[in-house]
């Protein structure tokens, strides 16, 4: 029988029927299905083609149009040549229709316990935020220490009467932390962080911005060896090209202006 619009149950297999030649299947001797709500498979096995990949004693699949349900995430187990054996577990919390939070913890047998939090909110049209926090207190006796945290925030908010606020925060406490715990080469060699927040309004041909910005360039993994440049803040006012006539002669006028405070420390 067909369940939902994307999946079909046939001969003990739950298959994605949108694909021209389905590449994955879930096989179980017992499916408990409530159309439009959920499907539960007992003693299920995932197949890629005809190859069995993973056995799970219980598998839950939401069949709702907007599936949001709190629950534990799939745990992960692995090994790191520098941090030791790793065991990870996470929890997803669907707070309500507008907010959710994901927490993941990973325990490294050599380095200790790390934490990862992702908090999201939808506050309405053109308003919302997404915040990520990642950090660890490293138990290894490294010099410099690999303990640290990274905070990333993207936010936007409509303020009314044409005013709008946007911002992006990237805050890194230690470059040694990034080099020890990043999962990609590009991040490991990226020694800069950029943060900016601004309030803007556009009316007619005119634009107004109030900007606060902070750029940090880490010179090495030594604590404090960095260059920081800040706008505290800066105000910009400009007019896009505007045509007016001086007699029979068309004239185009535009301008840009700014005033602000700048601070550099190193």
């Amino acid at each position: 029988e067909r369940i939902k619009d994307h999946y079909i149950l046939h001969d003990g297999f739950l298959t994605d029927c949108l694909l021209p030649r389905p590449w994955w299947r879930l096989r179980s001797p017992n499916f408990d299905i409530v159309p439009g709500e959920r499907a539960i498979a007992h003693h299920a096995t995932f197949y890629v083609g005809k190859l069995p990949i993973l056995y799970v004693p219980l598998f839950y699949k939401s069949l709702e149009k907007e599936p949001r349900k709190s629950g534990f995430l799939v745990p992960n187990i692995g090994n790191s040549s520098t941090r030791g054996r790793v065991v990870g577990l996470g929890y997803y919390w669907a707070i309500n229709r507008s907010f959710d939070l994901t927490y993941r913890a990973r325990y490294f047998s050599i380095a200790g316990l790390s934490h990862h939090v992702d908090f999201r909110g939808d506050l309405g049209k053109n308003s919302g935020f997404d915040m990520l926090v990642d950090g660890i207190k490293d138990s290894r006796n490294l010099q410099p220490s690999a303990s640290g945290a990274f905070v990333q925030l993207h936010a936007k908010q409509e303020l009314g009467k044409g005013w709008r606020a946007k911002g992006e925060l990237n805050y890194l406490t230690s470059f040694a932390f990034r080099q020890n715990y990043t999962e990609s080469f590009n991040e490991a060699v990226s020694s800069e962080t950029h943060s900016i927040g601004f309030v803007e309004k556009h009316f007619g041909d005119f634009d107004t911005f109030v900007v606060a910005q902070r750029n940090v360039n880490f010179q090495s993994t030594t604590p404090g060896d960095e260059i920081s440049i800040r706008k505290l803040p800066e105000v910009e006012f400009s007019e896009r090209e505007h045509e007016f006539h001086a007699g029979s002669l068309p004239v185009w006028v535009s301008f840009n202006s700014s005033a602000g405070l700048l601070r550099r420390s190193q």
Side-chain angles (χ1 to χ4, degrees):
E1 63 174 313
R2 183 176 295 275
I3 55 176
K4 206 179 177 185
D5 293 325
H6 297 177
Y7 302 90
I8 190 168
L9 182 64
H10 176 69
D11 193 25
F13 285 98
L14 183 66
T15 304
D16 187 344
C17 61
L18 286 181
L19 301 177
R21 296 186 63 183
W23 65 276
W24 73 264
R25 295 184 296 174
L26 178 69
R27 186 169 192 175
S28 170
N30 182 13
F31 281 99
D32 180 10
I33 299 172
V34 178
E37 294 186 14
R38 52 101 176 122
I40 299 176
H42 302 269
H43 302 288
T45 303
F46 282 95
Y47 284 79
V48 175
K50 296 183 179 181
L51 180 66
I53 298 297
L54 176 67
Y55 165 80
V56 289
L58 185 70
F59 179 78
Y60 177 92
K61 170 65 182 175
S62 175
L63 303 178
E64 299 179 3
K65 291 184 178 180
E66 297 181 2
R68 284 171 55 84
K69 191 176 183 66
S70 301
F72 288 96
L73 305 176
V74 177
N76 63 289
I77 302 174
N79 185 70
S80 168
S81 60
T82 58
R83 290 166 274 175
R85 298 185 183 277
V86 56
V87 177
L89 184 64
Y91 186 80
Y92 173 75
W93 181 21
I95 302 172
N96 53 41
R97 293 186 62 182
S98 301
F99 298 91
D100 62 30
L101 184 145
T102 302
Y103 170 74
R104 295 180 183 271
R106 291 189 300 171
Y107 177 75
F108 300 97
S109 60
I110 297 177
L113 183 65
S114 72
H115 306 273
H116 177 96
V117 178
D118 193 348
F119 182 37
R120 304 182 301 173
D122 186 354
L123 306 177
K125 186 178 180 181
N126 297 322
S127 298
F129 66 90
D130 187 345
M131 182 176 69
L132 178 150
V133 181
D134 199 10
I136 187 173
K137 184 174 178 58
D138 197 298
S139 59
R140 294 174 293 176
N141 188 24
L142 299 179
Q143 295 298 329
S145 172
S147 298
F150 175 66
V151 180
Q152 184 178 67
L153 173 66
H154 298 271
K156 56 183 180 179
Q157 176 68 47
E158 293 289 343
L159 303 177
K161 297 184 178 181
W163 290 95
R164 179 173 59 179
K166 284 187 177 181
E168 177 180 352
L169 170 68
N170 292 283
Y171 180 73
L172 179 65
T173 62
S174 165
F175 189 43
F177 165 74
R178 168 171 286 180
Q179 290 194 329
N180 276 270
Y181 287 96
T182 184
E183 301 297 336
S184 71
F185 175 79
N186 288 338
E187 288 185 359
V189 299
S190 177
S191 60
E192 297 181 2
T193 61
H194 303 277
S195 302
I196 184 171
F198 62 89
V199 178
E200 63 176 353
K201 182 176 182 179
H202 307 281
F203 51 98
D205 294 326
F206 298 93
D207 302 307
T208 303
F209 295 90
V210 181
V211 183
Q213 187 172 359
R214 181 176 184 264
N215 299 328
V216 178
N217 191 322
F218 294 91
Q219 301 298 290
S220 70
T221 56
T222 302
D225 188 12
E226 62 189 48
I227 298 174
S228 175
I229 299 177
R230 304 176 186 178
K231 292 182 179 180
L232 301 170
E234 182 178 83
V235 179
E236 302 176 8
F237 183 64
S238 62
E239 182 190 25
R240 297 186 293 273
E241 288 188 347
H242 178 79
E243 180 184 9
F244 68 94
H245 293 272
S248 60
L249 181 65
V251 178
W252 293 84
V253 175
S254 66
F255 70 85
N256 292 278
S257 62
S258 64
L261 300 174
L262 190 68
R263 178 179 180 181
R264 174 190 171 103
S265 60
Q266 65 182 82

